[in-house]
Amino acid sequence: MKIAILASGSGSNLQTLIDQLHLDTNSDVEIAAVISDRPKAYALIRAKKVGIPTYVVQLKHFPDRNAFDAEISGIIETHEVGLILLAGYMKIFQPSFVRRYRYKLINIHPSLLPAFPGAHAVSDTLDYHTKISGVTVHFVDEGVDTGPIIAQVPVPVFDDDNESSLHQRIQAEEHKIYPQVVKWFAENLIHVDNRKVIIKPE
Ligand code: GRF
């Protein structure tokens, strides 16, 4: 199965997907394209190092959001990917894009949704002083971090945590659960009934 990954930043999740799936000869998951909205994203370097085609698609180079989304769709269609993963991608898609790839577009988020959606989940968690945080992997819908939840992993919050220490603990779990969800998807084990996602054989 070919997948595309969209990333805006460091790409540590991309790296685990490269290591655990793309480079694993026992896995038939191939990362066919990495797309970023930031030319300096380290994710692009990680992809280039292993020969994965990379694309920089910046909103400022397009007349409007539709044209921007169409460019990304074009890359996805060219590579005939069956799954699109967001891994620290900081742009919101238009509803038409989300509808086109419904149940083929997955995001990873550093909190136990529906708590703390949005771009500042880790600092919002610390400001609220919850005792537990975690990771959510979910299908993308038209809202911000509101789509059907595929998997969640809890992570403790410690009294002396700062944003970096908590995010590091969360990312250690991200790096295990994201490749696992991709394997489930590739094996056709993910079934969706409205908001309810069940992992089971056919
Ligand atoms: C992750 O924490 C993910 O949950 C969030 O953005 C971060 C991306 O990290 N959506 P990285 O670029 O994969 O290291």
Side-chain angles (χ1 to χ4, degrees):
M1 181 187 64
K2 290 186 176 187
I3 67 177
I5 298 182
L6 285 94
S8 301
S10 127
S12 71
N13 278 285
L14 168 66
Q15 189 65 55
T16 57
L17 294 159
I18 290 173
D19 295 340
Q20 293 186 41
L21 300 176
H22 185 79
L23 296 179
D24 179 357
T25 46
N26 294 317
S27 147
D28 72 343
V29 174
E30 177 193 340
I31 303 173
V34 169
I35 304 167
S36 183
D37 57 322
R38 298 197 181 148
K40 291 198 171 144
Y42 190 64
L44 294 168
I45 294 172
R46 295 183 193 269
K48 281 183 188 147
K49 273 188 187 161
V50 291
I52 298 169
T54 60
Y55 301 85
V56 176
V57 185
Q58 292 181 279
L59 187 53
K60 67 179 182 188
H61 294 147
F62 296 86
D64 55 33
R65 290 296 304 227
N66 286 335
F68 173 76
D69 286 0
E71 177 74 13
I72 293 175
S73 292
I75 297 165
I76 288 166
E77 303 305 322
T78 302
H79 288 284
E80 300 180 326
V81 309
L83 175 66
I84 306 148
L85 297 182
L86 308 185
Y89 186 65
M90 300 309 286
K91 282 262 174 311
I92 309 282
F93 288 110
Q94 304 237 95
S96 57
F97 185 95
V98 171
R99 280 196 290 272
R100 180 166 181 180
Y101 298 109
R102 191 176 294 287
Y103 304 133
K104 287 188 172 177
L105 183 57
I106 293 179
N107 182 40
I108 190 161
H109 182 79
S111 77
L112 292 179
L113 291 169
F116 311 119
H120 307 289
V122 179
S123 61
D124 290 347
T125 299
L126 289 170
D127 289 346
Y128 204 91
H129 299 289
T130 59
K131 304 295 187 193
I132 297 177
S133 179
V135 180
T136 303
V137 179
H138 64 94
F139 285 111
V140 176
D141 70 3
E142 288 85 346
V144 175
D145 300 324
T146 53
I149 291 172
I150 303 167
Q152 291 187 301
V153 184
V155 171
V157 181
F158 297 141
D159 292 342
D160 57 355
D161 264 332
N162 55 37
E163 197 173 336
S164 149
S165 63
L166 178 56
H167 200 184
Q168 235 180 327
R169 197 173 313 114
I170 291 171
Q171 288 218 298
E173 295 304 326
E174 291 186 340
H175 298 163
K176 290 185 252 175
I177 193 66
Y178 220 6
Q180 177 63 70
V181 167
V182 176
K183 281 185 201 164
W184 287 336
F185 189 97
E187 289 165 16
N188 250 320
L189 297 179
I190 303 184
H191 305 273
V192 194
D193 175 11
N194 197 13
R195 278 204 64 85
K196 189 170 179 182
V197 180
I198 302 171
I199 314 300
K200 59 161 192 183
E202 279 303 332

